[in-house]
């Protein structure tokens, strides 16, 4: 059992009975004898280790220890994986929004034109773009012409959204200029169009093919408005990484878009990119003031804010649910320790009569339970981190075994399940697991410490 000290009163030396005060040497010796062993001494670790590796026939609970260990490992791994997927999904979702869309859209407030129609176009768009581009924190301000049309190639048709933009401005859009995959050269954009890979797949077209763009608002004649049909050569095919963009977006040179939509000399809006998209609200007053009193704004958070708030709420709920899972796994430690205390009642009684204090007994059984929680947490961290790192091949295997279709990009917007490991997420999972494991261990350990040695040895 290690070096255990028996604190029994020693006989007084001869002649000491006549002395009123003991000598300094005797006092120091008495204090040393009365001093309790240091917490978590070597013998406490030794006893805890013997209990952890004891076989069931010897009164140990190795089976329960393994169950607790596996439970905590899987719970911590599940928590880390969930947090990594949550972080990766939000980052990928936001990055695809910010990488191919305006951070802020500046447009004109509605006014009634001479024909009695509502008009939101911007006539002095270059002046607006120059003023907005001069605001601190703005990286680019570009005029756009937008419209929804029908794209046709042979017998295939699909609805698309046209973005009329200048070639220099298109080259500054990250998810288009540097996409996940691309066919063709962006330098050829001025003589044709750039389309998303989803549009190309839907129409069955490739680089060099010519597709027809059909708009119902065409040339006005005495017999009414006739549809406008133009054919354009595909010079660039991009994959932005977001399903709805790749499936619907076509970029057309700005001047050609003005002619096609009968908007010569005007633009529909100003597309603004900023250095800090997450803090875009603080720039809105300056942007609107720079454009003038007729300007209005719309941010990326206005279009995707509800989805991001839903993601945040789902994240909090998932963290609570998985925290309960860690708690349930930690509860196995209690059952194992309760059985251990019951089986080791005789040992506890003997140790107490040999001079072991309540604190030492408590620490022995605390080490038994805490060791299980500590090792299980460490194994869970390793398993969770490895799963998050290799999530693509793992998910590919699951998708293959299930016959495909597990991840639908048309529903989730992105093409894969991303995962990003953050140190703060790992620390929160480790803190939660160790806190629950250590806290739960104290209950049966305290019961063992308060066991009466007389009652423990009564029937031995």
């Amino acid at each position: 059992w290690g070096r255990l000290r028996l604190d029994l009163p020693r006989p007084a030396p001869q002649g000491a009975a006549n002395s009123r005060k003991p000598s300094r040497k005797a006092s120091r010796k008495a204090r040393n004898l009365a001093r309790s062993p240091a917490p978590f001494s070597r013998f406490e670790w030794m006893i805890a280790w013997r209990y952890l590796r004891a076989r069931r026939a010897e009164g140990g609970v190795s089976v329960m220890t393994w169950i607790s260990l596996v439970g905590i490992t899987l719970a911590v791994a599940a928590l880390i994986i969930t947090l990594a997927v949550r972080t990766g999904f939000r980052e990928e979702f936001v990055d695809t929004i910010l990488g191919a869309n305006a951070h802020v859209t500046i447009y004109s407030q509605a006014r009634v034109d001479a024909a009695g129609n509502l008009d939101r176009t911007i006539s002095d768009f270059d002046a607006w773009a120059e003023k907005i581009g001069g605001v601190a924190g703005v990286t680019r301000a570009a005029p756009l012409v937008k419209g929804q049309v029908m794209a046709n190639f042979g017998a295939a048709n699909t609805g698309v959204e046209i973005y009329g933009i200048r070639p220099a401005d298109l080259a500054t859009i990250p998810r288009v200029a540097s996409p996940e995959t691309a066919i063709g050269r962006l330098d050829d954009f001025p003589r044709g169009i750039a389309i998303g890979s989803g549009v190309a797949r839907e129409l069955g077209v490739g680089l060099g093919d010519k597709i027809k763009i059909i708009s119902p608002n065409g040339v006005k004649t005495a017999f009414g408005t006739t549809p406008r049909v133009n054919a354009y050569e595909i010079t660039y095919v991009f994959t932005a990484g977001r399903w709805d963009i790749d499936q619907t977006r076509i970029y057309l040179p700005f001047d050609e878009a003005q002619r096609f939509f009968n908007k010569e000399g005007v633009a529909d809006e100003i597309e603004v990119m900023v250095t800090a998209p997450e803090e875009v609200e603080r720039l809105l007053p300056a942007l609107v003031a720079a454009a003038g009193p007729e300007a209005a704004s719309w941010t990326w958070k206005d279009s995707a804010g509800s989805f991001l708030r839903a993601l945040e709420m789902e994240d909090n709920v998932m963290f609570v649910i998985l925290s309960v899972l860690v708690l349930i796994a930690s509860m196995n430690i209690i059952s194992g320790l309760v059985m251990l205390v019951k089986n080791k009642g005789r040992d506890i009684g003997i140790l107490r009569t040999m001079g072991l204090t309540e604190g030492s007994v408590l620490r022995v059984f605390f080490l038994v339970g805490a060791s299980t929680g500590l090792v299980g947490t460490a194994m869970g961290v390793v398993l969770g981190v490895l799963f998050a790192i290799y999530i693509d091949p793992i998910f590919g295997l699951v998708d293959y075994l299930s016959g495909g279709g597990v991840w639908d990009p048309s529903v989730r917007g992105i093409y894969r399940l991303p995962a990003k490991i953050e140190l703060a997420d790992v620390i929160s999972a480790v803190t939660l697991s160790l806190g629950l494991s250590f806290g739960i261990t104290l209950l049966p350990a305290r019961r063992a410490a308060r066991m009466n040695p007389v009652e423990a040895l009564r029937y031995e």
Side-chain angles (χ1 to χ4, degrees):
W1 299 107
R3 298 178 60 187
L4 299 179
R5 179 175 47 80
L6 186 61
D7 293 332
L8 296 177
R10 297 191 175 186
Q14 295 181 356
N18 298 328
S19 302
R20 293 185 178 180
K21 293 184 179 179
S23 64
R24 290 185 179 179
K25 187 176 181 180
S27 299
R28 191 181 303 114
K29 192 173 182 179
R31 286 196 300 268
N32 291 336
L33 288 173
R35 187 180 300 149
S36 299
F40 299 103
S41 298
R42 181 182 176 184
F43 74 90
E44 295 175 356
W45 286 92
M46 186 194 66
I47 298 172
W49 172 244
R50 285 176 61 90
Y51 287 163
L52 277 172
R53 64 185 179 89
R55 300 176 181 175
R56 190 168 184 178
E58 300 173 359
V61 285
S62 58
V63 175
M64 294 300 300
T65 300
W66 279 107
I67 292 175
S68 304
L69 189 67
V70 172
I72 294 175
T73 299
L74 295 179
V76 173
L79 182 57
I80 291 177
I81 294 169
T82 302
L83 294 177
V85 170
R86 177 198 71 178
T87 303
F89 184 85
R90 187 187 188 281
E91 184 175 278
E92 182 74 11
F93 182 81
V94 172
D95 187 64
T96 53
I97 293 176
L98 301 180
N101 293 296
H103 302 166
V104 185
T105 300
I106 303 296
Y107 58 94
S108 176
Q109 298 181 16
R111 58 187 181 277
V112 181
D113 60 11
N117 300 319
L118 289 178
D119 185 14
R120 292 181 179 272
T121 59
I122 305 171
S123 57
D124 52 345
F125 52 85
D126 283 327
W128 278 37
E130 184 178 357
K131 293 177 182 178
I132 294 171
V135 176
V138 175
T139 59
R140 181 176 69 86
L144 291 182
V145 174
K146 295 174 65 175
Q148 294 180 346
V149 297
M150 177 74 73
N152 167 264
F153 182 80
N157 298 281
T158 185
V160 296
E161 190 171 15
I162 297 291
Y163 279 62
I165 189 171
R166 289 167 177 161
D169 295 327
L170 181 62
T172 61
I173 300 178
R175 286 274 177 167
V176 177
S178 302
E180 294 184 356
T181 59
I183 303 174
R185 298 172 62 250
L186 196 59
D187 295 339
D188 297 331
F189 171 66
R191 64 177 180 83
I193 59 174
I195 69 173
S197 57
V199 179
R201 184 171 56 253
E202 196 74 18
L203 296 176
V205 296
L207 203 66
D209 291 332
K210 286 190 175 183
I211 63 173
K212 295 179 181 178
I213 304 297
I214 306 169
S215 173
N217 300 321
V219 181
K220 295 182 180 179
T221 65
F223 301 98
T225 302
T226 59
R228 173 165 290 176
V229 182
N230 284 359
Y232 298 99
E233 180 184 352
I234 301 173
T235 58
Y236 188 67
V237 181
F238 61 88
T239 300
R242 187 170 173 82
W243 186 87
D244 54 347
I245 294 176
D246 297 334
Q247 196 74 17
T248 61
R249 189 165 299 184
I250 292 180
Y251 286 99
L252 191 66
F254 184 75
D255 297 337
E256 181 62 31
Q258 285 180 316
R259 289 190 293 270
F260 185 82
F261 290 108
N262 297 324
K263 294 181 179 179
E264 289 84 353
V266 298
D268 289 316
E269 59 190 39
I270 306 296
E271 183 182 73
V272 182
M273 298 287 190
V274 299
T275 55
E278 295 284 354
E279 303 174 2
V280 70
E281 292 88 352
R282 65 180 180 83
L283 289 178
L284 289 182
L287 294 176
V288 175
E294 296 181 356
S297 63
W298 180 264
T299 71
W300 71 274
K301 288 188 176 181
D302 294 328
S303 58
S306 59
F307 186 80
L308 293 178
R309 286 191 294 271
L311 276 181
E312 184 176 356
M313 181 179 297
E314 182 181 1
D315 293 343
N316 296 332
V317 172
M318 289 301 296
F319 185 83
V320 172
I321 293 174
L322 290 174
S323 299
V324 174
L325 182 62
V326 176
L327 176 61
I328 294 172
S330 301
M331 292 292 288
N332 288 328
I333 298 177
I334 286 186
S335 53
L337 280 183
V338 168
M339 293 176 61
L340 182 63
V341 171
K342 183 177 180 181
N343 293 337
K344 298 298 182 180
R346 175 176 174 271
D347 293 354
I348 296 172
I350 294 174
L351 290 172
R352 290 297 309 279
T353 57
M354 292 175 63
L356 209 66
T357 63
E358 288 188 6
S360 294
V361 175
L362 185 144
R363 288 190 291 271
V364 166
F365 286 93
F366 174 80
L367 288 173
V368 174
S371 299
T372 304
L374 186 62
V375 175
T377 301
M379 293 173 60
V381 169
V382 174
L383 180 62
V385 170
L386 289 177
F387 192 99
I389 292 175
Y390 296 101
I391 191 169
D392 286 339
I394 293 174
F395 195 79
L397 177 62
V398 173
D399 191 64
Y400 172 77
L401 294 177
S402 61
V406 174
W407 186 266
D408 188 358
S410 64
V411 176
R412 296 169 178 86
I414 55 180
Y415 293 102
R416 62 185 183 88
L417 178 65
K420 182 180 180 181
I421 301 171
E422 294 283 352
L423 180 60
D425 294 337
V426 177
I427 291 176
S428 62
V430 170
T431 302
L432 176 66
S433 177
L434 293 182
L436 291 176
S437 299
F438 292 175
I440 285 176
T441 300
L442 288 173
L443 299 177
R446 186 170 178 270
R447 177 185 175 187
R450 301 186 67 179
M451 182 177 293
N452 190 337
V454 178
E455 293 295 331
L457 298 173
R458 179 184 296 272
Y459 302 104
E460 297 296 335

